[in-house]
Amino acid sequence: MSEELLHPDEALRLVLEAGRAAFRASLGGGTESLPLAAALGRHMPAAILATLDQPPFDKSAMDGFAVGMSLEEARRFGEGRQAVWEVVGTIAAGSAAEAGPGPGRVHRVMTGAPLPPGTAFVQRVEYTRAFEGRDDRIVFELREKSDNIIRRGENLRAGDILLGPRRLGPADIGILASSGFAKVSVARRPIVGIISTGDELEAAGATLGPASIYDSNGPQLAAQVEALGALPKFYGIVRDEEAALRGALERALAECEVIVLSGGVSMGDFDYVPKTLEALGVRRIFHKLAMKPGKPTWFGTRGTTAVFGLPGNPLSTFVNFEVFLGPHLEARMGVEGRSRILSLPLGAPLSRKSADRAEYLPVRLAREGEGGRSVVHPLDYHGSSMLSVLAEAEGLARLEIGVYSLPEGGHVDVRLLRS
Ligand code: AMP
Ligand code: MG
C-alpha cells in the first residue's frame, strides 16, 4: 500500500485558500446591503465601526435622585441633623437634561434618563423616604457604594470596532440596531449545485427496487448548505454513466459557484466523477485523503468555481461537509474560523486496529462525576453507511494519525456539530 494520501489539515488549507481566492475575486459584486430584519444568519465580511459613543450621554443606572455633591459632601451635609433634600424636578428616560442641581437640591431621575450636568452620584429610590409625606422633600439613607452613573462612551466609543466579521446572530442584530444601523452589508449567498450519483439511488417517495436505496446525500447536503447560509440547487440523481454525468456537470458549472457531488469518486468500475471533471477543465487539487471516513474525496477548481467530489457513504458525505465544505463556503463569504473545536477528555478508553488515517468519530457529550465535567463518549456504529448514528451525535472527535489507543481522560479534539 504505497498510496499518497493527503493529511486532512493540508486538505483544509487548500480548500480554504480556494475559498479566500473566490472571495477576493468577488469583492464589490460579492456583497449586498440588507435591512437588519433580513440579515439574521447572513455572513458579514467586513468589521463595522461604531459611529456613536455608547451610551451617547451620561445616564442614570437607577431610579432615584441626581445629586450634585459627592457622596462625602452629601454625608457632611447631613452630619448631626436630618438632611432634607429639595426635589426640584423630574427627568424621565427620553427627556432632555435639565440644568444642574444646586446644594441641597436634587432631581428625581428614572433609569436611562440623561443626568443634569454636575451630577456626582444617583441616590437610588430604595434608600430614600419622603419627608413628612411631601413629594418635594426627601430624606436619604446614604448607603450608595457606586455613583450609579453610566458615563458617556463607557461601553463603546465612536470609532471602536462595533462588530468584527461574523455570521450574524440575534445579539449582533441588537448590537447593530443599538448603534443606529438600519442596514448591513453581507456576502451574497453562493449557489451550491448538488449532484447525487449512483445507479442504485431513488428519490424519497419513489418505490424501491430490489437493489436500490434512497438518496439521502442529496437532501442532506442541500440542508447542510442551507443551514450554513448558502443557496443549494439540486441537480437530481444522475446515473453512473459518463454522458449523463457530463451533461449535469456542464449545467452546474454554468450556473453555480460551488458544486458538490456524492458518489463515484472511488476506484470502482463505474466511478466516472474524477475523469469527467478533469475532461471539463476542472483542475484537480487533491484526490484521496488520510482520513476516515472520506478517503476518496476529490477537490478541484475551474476559475473561482470549486468542485467537491465526496464519497457516497452517507456518513462520510456528512463529515466531509462539516470538515471541508462548510469552512470553504464560509471563506467564500469572507468569514472564517467558525468551526467550534474543543479539546475534551474521553469518558472511557478507546482503541482502534489501524492508525494510518485521522478518524472522525461521532460522539455524544455527557457531564459526569463530581463537579459534572464534560466528557466524550464515542457512539456505537457499524461503518460509514450508518447515517442514523448522527441522530445522537453532538460532535465529531478526531483521532490523529498514529494514535491506536487513548486512556479514559485522554483528550481528543471534538468538533461541535452545528445545530
Ligand atoms: P460510492 O462512493 O458511489 O462508491 O458509494 C459508496 C456507498 O454509498 C454505496 O453503498 C452507495 O450506495 C452509497 N451512496 C452513494 N450515494 C448515495 C446517496 N446519494 N445516498 C445514500 N447513499 C449513497
Ligand atoms: Mg456510486
Side-chain angles (χ1 to χ4, degrees), residues 12-93:
L12 177 62
R13 193 185 66 74
L14 293 166
V15 152
L16 287 175
E17 202 169 84
R20 276 179 217 133
F23 174 69
R24 283 194 302 269
S26 75
L27 276 181
T31 56
E32 56 187 325
S33 174
L34 290 182
L36 282 195
L40 180 67
R42 298 296 297 268
H43 294 76
M44 184 185 80
I48 297 223
L49 302 184
T51 52
L52 293 178
D53 287 342
Q54 290 284 11
F57 45 84
D58 291 352
K59 68 177 180 182
S60 179
M62 298 282 176
D63 293 327
F65 298 87
V67 185
M69 293 175 178
S70 71
L71 207 49
E72 268 316 297
E73 288 170 322
R75 285 209 177 92
R76 280 200 297 276
F77 177 68
E79 242 159 37
R81 63 189 169 106
Q82 184 177 27
V84 179
W85 301 78
E86 182 188 354
V87 183
V88 294
T90 297
I91 311 171

Side-chain angles (χ1 to χ4, degrees), residues 65-206:
F65 298 87
V67 185
M69 293 175 178
S70 71
L71 207 49
E72 268 316 297
E73 288 170 322
R75 285 209 177 92
R76 280 200 297 276
F77 177 68
E79 242 159 37
R81 63 189 169 106
Q82 184 177 27
V84 179
W85 301 78
E86 182 188 354
V87 183
V88 294
T90 297
I91 311 171
S95 12
E98 296 193 9
R105 313 175 83 189
V106 295
H107 281 88
R108 191 185 302 275
V109 292
M110 309 298 143
T111 303
L115 290 169
T119 300
F121 72 98
V122 173
Q123 169 84 12
R124 77 184 78 178
V125 71
E126 294 91 320
Y127 299 167
T128 65
R129 58 185 165 76
F131 175 68
E132 293 177 351
R134 297 172 59 170
D135 61 4
D136 62 342
R137 293 286 185 279
I138 199 93
V139 177
F140 287 2
E141 190 187 325
L142 285 168
R143 285 207 280 153
E144 293 301 345
K145 296 206 169 52
S146 72
D147 62 10
N148 298 324
I149 298 175
I150 310 172
R151 302 268 170 205
R152 170 177 186 159
E154 182 178 309
N155 299 340
L156 193 74
R157 295 211 165 270
D160 287 351
I161 291 184
L162 180 65
L163 275 184
R166 69 197 45 231
R167 185 172 192 197
L168 295 170
D172 303 317
I173 302 292
I175 290 166
L176 289 168
S178 75
S179 272
F181 290 96
K183 291 188 149 193
V184 57
S185 178
V186 297
R188 270 194 322 99
R189 304 166 76 186
I191 300 172
V192 182
I194 296 163
I195 302 175
S196 297
T197 76
D199 285 341
E200 73 279 32
L201 301 179
E202 293 290 350

Side-chain angles (χ1 to χ4, degrees), residues 233-236 238 244 246-256 259:
K233 182 167 175 152
F234 188 48
Y235 285 84
V238 174
R246 192 182 169 104
L249 272 171
E250 277 171 344
R251 276 190 292 129
L253 280 165
E255 294 167 348
C256 304
I259 298 170

Side-chain angles (χ1 to χ4, degrees), residues 195-198 200-202 213-219 221 237 240 262-268 270-271 296 310-314 316-317 384-385 387:
I195 302 175
S196 297
T197 76
E200 73 279 32
L201 301 179
E202 293 290 350
I213 59 170
Y214 286 121
D215 169 25
S216 60
N217 292 340
L221 283 166
I237 297 167
D240 289 319
S262 72
V265 286
S266 306
M267 302 299 280
F270 304 99
D271 291 334
L310 308 185
N313 262 316
S316 56
T317 306
S384 50
S385 67
L387 190 60

